[in-house]
Amino acid sequence: MSRYLKILLLSVFIILLIVGSTKQEEQTATQQLADHKRPPIIDMHMHASWMRYISDGRAIITRPYYPEGSINEPTTVTSDEEVLQLTLAEMDKYNIIKGFLSDDLKNVYRWVATAPDRFIPSPMINLKTLRPSIDFLRAEYAKGRIKALGEFTTQYYGIAPNDSVLDPYFSLAEELDVPVLIHTLGFGAHVPTFRSSLGHPLLLEEVLVKHPKLRLWIENAGYPFLDEIISLMYMYPQVYADLSTITWVIPRETFHDYLESLMRAGLGKRLLFGSDQMIWPETIGMAVEAIESADFLTEEQKRDIFYYNAVRFLRLKEAQ
Ligand SMILES: [Zn+2]
């Protein structure tokens, strides 16, 4: 073998070695990315809430739990800015690519300004302190500043979902074809004017008959009105339901029982993941974990709940 041939072979060997190790590094990096990068999630229930303070200026940080008395952990968050920043950090951690964001629009717009494209902005409506006019909403939709309607929290003020006072809002949502979230279930925060009886899901029947094109989703799948939510969802296929606060506010076993019943009833294609993040960003991870730990769900069913059902309901292109 000539000296030149030896040098040539050695050079080829070195080049192959370099290319090989680069390829290996690339593969390791891809693998690491795959391990780290979770598949996308859409959170269909988030709030841009302010901290609430008691008279001596201290922030209210306790997280509710039902039945009361067992777990009632305080959050570590102490300021409005922290709620926003830690929420965004949790969204990154779990690869939550979009969050339906409802609250007083002042807060919603502030969050959207900080993280454009991350949220689906929507006005909360309680008809007490939050009572935007139809004209105002129409103008905001036209400008593209809001993209959904609700959460309706009118149950907290003793207003039934079929009360005629809500009708102009439902008409507007139907006309503009925007999705609507309503709190209609058996429980909520302890507010004196809250009425469990007004959370009966079948109170929505008249609304759905009158507004057949309404794209409605119901908080916590109407928990604990299981039979009623099944009948409503069977009769009105346009209705979806979220699994939000019940992922962390009631015992995990109870949540899994409820979810399993909804799955057995065949409703797995119309359940939407949500965290109901208010001032407790850690609830986002708790909500994700509550779905992931449901061992009666297949991987495909989990992906439907986390992502594909929302893509269909919101009529998003998957790549978005
Ligand atoms: Zn909510």
Side-chain angles (χ1 to χ4, degrees):
M1 201 185 287
S2 80
R3 199 173 144 228
Y4 292 115
L5 192 60
K6 267 188 202 164
I7 292 171
L8 186 69
L9 283 175
L10 192 68
S11 317
V12 169
F13 178 70
I14 290 168
I15 289 168
L16 283 176
L17 211 72
I18 294 169
V19 170
S21 69
T22 318
K23 265 248 144 33
Q24 208 170 24
E25 273 165 29
E26 261 174 34
Q27 275 167 357
T28 321
T30 314
Q31 188 56 43
Q32 277 171 350
L33 196 70
D35 289 346
H36 179 72
K37 192 91 180 160
R38 306 165 63 99
I41 291 178
I42 296 173
D43 188 329
M44 288 298 288
H45 197 143
M46 303 181 95
H47 294 286
S49 299
W50 295 134
M51 301 293 294
R52 289 161 204 119
Y53 300 91
I54 43 180
S55 47
D56 69 357
R58 272 182 301 137
I60 299 170
I61 53 173
T62 39
R63 179 150 44 77
Y65 192 81
Y66 296 81
E68 282 178 278
S70 20
I71 305 172
N72 213 356
E73 296 168 35
T75 184
T76 54
V77 175
T78 55
S79 72
D80 295 330
E81 190 52 30
E82 254 186 357
V83 178
L84 169 55
Q85 291 307 330
L86 292 176
T87 297
L88 292 172
E90 287 291 285
M91 290 175 80
D92 288 342
K93 182 174 169 189
Y94 293 99
N95 199 20
I96 296 174
I97 57 165
K98 276 267 182 232
F100 163 84
L101 189 69
S102 156
D103 224 287
D104 185 329
L105 282 179
K106 285 199 296 286
N107 307 1
V108 170
Y109 291 155
R110 178 175 152 262
W111 281 41
V112 170
T114 308
D117 304 325
R118 209 68 196 271
F119 297 110
I120 299 163
S122 186
M124 184 186 266
I125 291 171
N126 62 25
L127 294 183
K128 193 87 179 163
T129 53
L130 301 171
R131 191 180 188 139
S133 75
I134 299 295
D135 287 345
F136 168 78
L137 291 178
R138 193 181 281 283
E140 293 298 281
Y141 286 118
K143 288 182 218 151
R145 278 154 61 88
I146 46 176
K147 302 222 160 81
L149 182 63
E151 171 183 348
F152 279 91
T153 52
T154 32
Q155 190 185 352
Y156 280 96
Y157 295 96
I159 299 166
N162 57 352
D163 192 309
S164 60
V165 72
L166 290 177
D167 206 58
Y169 292 98
F170 293 141
S171 294
L172 182 72
E174 192 181 31
E175 180 198 326
L176 301 180
D177 197 24
V178 294
V180 180
L181 169 64
I182 188 161
H183 184 118
T184 303
L185 56 147
F187 77 109
H190 289 288
V191 171
T193 45
F194 183 90
R195 290 292 175 272
S196 293
S197 56
L198 297 180
H200 194 292
L202 291 179
L203 290 174
L204 282 165
E205 185 162 33
E206 279 176 52
V207 174
L208 292 163
V209 169
K210 190 162 180 199
H211 303 284
K213 290 192 190 136
L214 197 64
R215 293 161 64 196
L216 189 72
W217 84 105
I218 299 172
E219 174 166 347
N220 285 324
Y223 181 85
F225 295 118
L226 178 67
D227 298 342
E228 293 81 357
I229 202 80
I230 291 173
S231 58
L232 194 80
M233 290 178 79
Y234 276 9
M235 293 307 292
Y236 302 93
Q238 69 271 38
V239 174
Y240 278 59
D242 79 33
L243 306 162
S244 55
T245 341
I246 51 171
T247 58
W248 52 265
V249 84
I250 59 171
R252 177 63 56 84
E253 236 188 344
T254 315
F255 165 62
H256 280 173
D257 283 349
Y258 198 67
L259 173 55
E260 195 169 14
S261 301
L262 292 166
M263 296 302 296
R264 282 204 185 123
L267 294 168
K269 293 278 182 197
R270 281 151 67 197
L271 300 177
L272 306 165
F273 169 78
S275 61
D276 205 358
Q277 193 304 109
M278 288 170 260
I279 52 163
W280 308 287
E282 66 273 18
T283 55
I284 295 169
M286 294 165 76
V288 171
E289 212 270 313
I291 303 293
E292 284 181 342
S293 62
D295 50 21
F296 52 87
L297 294 177
T298 64
E299 278 314 304
E300 198 188 330
Q301 289 170 329
K302 287 179 191 175
R303 291 303 304 144
D304 280 345
I305 293 169
F306 276 133
Y307 183 68
Y308 290 106
N309 294 346
V311 168
R312 188 183 330 106
F313 179 67
L314 296 170
R315 300 184 195 141
L316 299 175
K317 290 212 176 70
E318 203 199 311
Q320 290 175 335

PDB file of all heavy atoms in Angstrom, residues 45 47 124 151 153 181 183 219 245 276 278, ligand 1:
ATOM      1  N   HIS A  45     -59.909  25.592  30.127  1.00  0.00           N
ATOM      2  CA  HIS A  45     -60.530  26.297  31.247  1.00  0.00           C
ATOM      3  C   HIS A  45     -59.456  26.960  32.118  1.00  0.00           C
ATOM      4  O   HIS A  45     -58.913  26.346  33.029  1.00  0.00           O
ATOM      5  CB  HIS A  45     -61.367  25.311  32.073  1.00  0.00           C
ATOM      6  CG  HIS A  45     -62.344  25.977  32.992  1.00  0.00           C
ATOM      7  ND1 HIS A  45     -63.605  25.469  33.235  1.00  0.00           N
ATOM      8  CD2 HIS A  45     -62.262  27.100  33.725  1.00  0.00           C
ATOM      9  CE1 HIS A  45     -64.241  26.255  34.075  1.00  0.00           C
ATOM     10  NE2 HIS A  45     -63.446  27.257  34.404  1.00  0.00           N
ATOM     11  N   HIS A  47     -58.229  30.927  33.980  1.00  0.00           N
ATOM     12  CA  HIS A  47     -58.647  32.279  34.358  1.00  0.00           C
ATOM     13  C   HIS A  47     -57.445  33.200  34.515  1.00  0.00           C
ATOM     14  O   HIS A  47     -56.386  32.767  34.969  1.00  0.00           O
ATOM     15  CB  HIS A  47     -59.431  32.249  35.670  1.00  0.00           C
ATOM     16  CG  HIS A  47     -60.734  31.514  35.526  1.00  0.00           C
ATOM     17  ND1 HIS A  47     -61.814  32.050  34.869  1.00  0.00           N
ATOM     18  CD2 HIS A  47     -61.112  30.272  35.920  1.00  0.00           C
ATOM     19  CE1 HIS A  47     -62.808  31.168  34.882  1.00  0.00           C
ATOM     20  NE2 HIS A  47     -62.410  30.081  35.504  1.00  0.00           N
ATOM     21  N   MET A 124     -65.607  36.858  31.030  1.00  0.00           N
ATOM     22  CA  MET A 124     -66.419  36.175  32.038  1.00  0.00           C
ATOM     23  C   MET A 124     -67.683  37.008  32.250  1.00  0.00           C
ATOM     24  O   MET A 124     -67.628  38.241  32.208  1.00  0.00           O
ATOM     25  CB  MET A 124     -65.652  36.056  33.353  1.00  0.00           C
ATOM     26  CG  MET A 124     -66.407  35.279  34.405  1.00  0.00           C
ATOM     27  SD  MET A 124     -65.545  35.308  35.982  1.00  0.00           S
ATOM     28  CE  MET A 124     -64.613  33.807  35.860  1.00  0.00           C
ATOM     29  N   GLU A 151     -66.479  32.286  30.787  1.00  0.00           N
ATOM     30  CA  GLU A 151     -67.359  31.420  31.523  1.00  0.00           C
ATOM     31  C   GLU A 151     -68.532  32.211  32.068  1.00  0.00           C
ATOM     32  O   GLU A 151     -68.343  33.272  32.667  1.00  0.00           O
ATOM     33  CB  GLU A 151     -66.557  30.757  32.673  1.00  0.00           C
ATOM     34  CG  GLU A 151     -67.369  29.994  33.663  1.00  0.00           C
ATOM     35  CD  GLU A 151     -66.509  29.430  34.797  1.00  0.00           C
ATOM     36  OE1 GLU A 151     -65.262  29.443  34.705  1.00  0.00           O
ATOM     37  OE2 GLU A 151     -67.100  28.969  35.788  1.00  0.00           O
ATOM     38  N   THR A 153     -70.733  32.614  34.988  1.00  0.00           N
ATOM     39  CA  THR A 153     -70.701  32.204  36.404  1.00  0.00           C
ATOM     40  C   THR A 153     -71.972  32.694  37.105  1.00  0.00           C
ATOM     41  O   THR A 153     -71.979  32.946  38.304  1.00  0.00           O
ATOM     42  CB  THR A 153     -69.450  32.764  37.101  1.00  0.00           C
ATOM     43  OG1 THR A 153     -69.385  34.170  36.852  1.00  0.00           O
ATOM     44  CG2 THR A 153     -68.184  32.116  36.591  1.00  0.00           C
ATOM     45  N   LEU A 181     -68.677  28.776  27.312  1.00  0.00           N
ATOM     46  CA  LEU A 181     -68.476  27.954  28.523  1.00  0.00           C
ATOM     47  C   LEU A 181     -69.428  28.410  29.624  1.00  0.00           C
ATOM     48  O   LEU A 181     -69.548  29.607  29.894  1.00  0.00           O
ATOM     49  CB  LEU A 181     -67.030  28.080  29.016  1.00  0.00           C
ATOM     50  CG  LEU A 181     -66.730  27.498  30.419  1.00  0.00           C
ATOM     51  CD1 LEU A 181     -66.936  25.975  30.459  1.00  0.00           C
ATOM     52  CD2 LEU A 181     -65.298  27.835  30.850  1.00  0.00           C
ATOM     53  N   HIS A 183     -70.732  27.566  33.779  1.00  0.00           N
ATOM     54  CA  HIS A 183     -70.610  26.848  35.052  1.00  0.00           C
ATOM     55  C   HIS A 183     -72.011  26.359  35.416  1.00  0.00           C
ATOM     56  O   HIS A 183     -72.835  27.120  35.897  1.00  0.00           O
ATOM     57  CB  HIS A 183     -70.070  27.809  36.122  1.00  0.00           C
ATOM     58  CG  HIS A 183     -69.804  27.159  37.449  1.00  0.00           C
ATOM     59  ND1 HIS A 183     -68.554  27.102  38.027  1.00  0.00           N
ATOM     60  CD2 HIS A 183     -70.633  26.535  38.316  1.00  0.00           C
ATOM     61  CE1 HIS A 183     -68.624  26.468  39.183  1.00  0.00           C
ATOM     62  NE2 HIS A 183     -69.883  26.125  39.392  1.00  0.00           N
ATOM     63  N   GLU A 219     -68.843  23.129  32.323  1.00  0.00           N
ATOM     64  CA  GLU A 219     -67.762  22.928  33.289  1.00  0.00           C
ATOM     65  C   GLU A 219     -67.945  21.614  34.055  1.00  0.00           C
ATOM     66  O   GLU A 219     -69.048  21.268  34.494  1.00  0.00           O
ATOM     67  CB  GLU A 219     -67.731  24.098  34.289  1.00  0.00           C
ATOM     68  CG  GLU A 219     -66.722  23.864  35.405  1.00  0.00           C
ATOM     69  CD  GLU A 219     -66.409  25.096  36.229  1.00  0.00           C
ATOM     70  OE1 GLU A 219     -66.757  26.201  35.824  1.00  0.00           O
ATOM     71  OE2 GLU A 219     -65.788  24.917  37.290  1.00  0.00           O
ATOM     72  N   THR A 245     -61.886  21.695  37.242  1.00  0.00           N
ATOM     73  CA  THR A 245     -61.668  21.769  38.696  1.00  0.00           C
ATOM     74  C   THR A 245     -61.731  20.397  39.377  1.00  0.00           C
ATOM     75  O   THR A 245     -61.015  20.151  40.341  1.00  0.00           O
ATOM     76  CB  THR A 245     -62.728  22.693  39.353  1.00  0.00           C
ATOM     77  OG1 THR A 245     -63.306  23.520  38.366  1.00  0.00           O
ATOM     78  CG2 THR A 245     -62.120  23.509  40.470  1.00  0.00           C
ATOM     79  N   ASP A 276     -58.843  24.869  35.145  1.00  0.00           N
ATOM     80  CA  ASP A 276     -59.528  25.881  35.959  1.00  0.00           C
ATOM     81  C   ASP A 276     -58.512  26.626  36.828  1.00  0.00           C
ATOM     82  O   ASP A 276     -58.773  26.928  37.990  1.00  0.00           O
ATOM     83  CB  ASP A 276     -60.643  25.272  36.823  1.00  0.00           C
ATOM     84  CG  ASP A 276     -61.715  26.313  37.183  1.00  0.00           C
ATOM     85  OD1 ASP A 276     -61.567  27.488  36.798  1.00  0.00           O
ATOM     86  OD2 ASP A 276     -62.685  25.950  37.861  1.00  0.00           O
ATOM     87  N   MET A 278     -56.851  29.363  38.602  1.00  0.00           N
ATOM     88  CA  MET A 278     -57.310  30.681  39.051  1.00  0.00           C
ATOM     89  C   MET A 278     -56.107  31.452  39.599  1.00  0.00           C
ATOM     90  O   MET A 278     -55.457  32.183  38.885  1.00  0.00           O
ATOM     91  CB  MET A 278     -58.427  30.508  40.076  1.00  0.00           C
ATOM     92  CG  MET A 278     -59.722  30.022  39.418  1.00  0.00           C
ATOM     93  SD  MET A 278     -61.018  29.511  40.569  1.00  0.00           S
ATOM     94  CE  MET A 278     -60.829  27.733  40.549  1.00  0.00           C
TER      95      MET A 278
HETATM   96 ZN    ZN B   1     -63.821  28.529  35.951  1.00  0.00          ZN
END
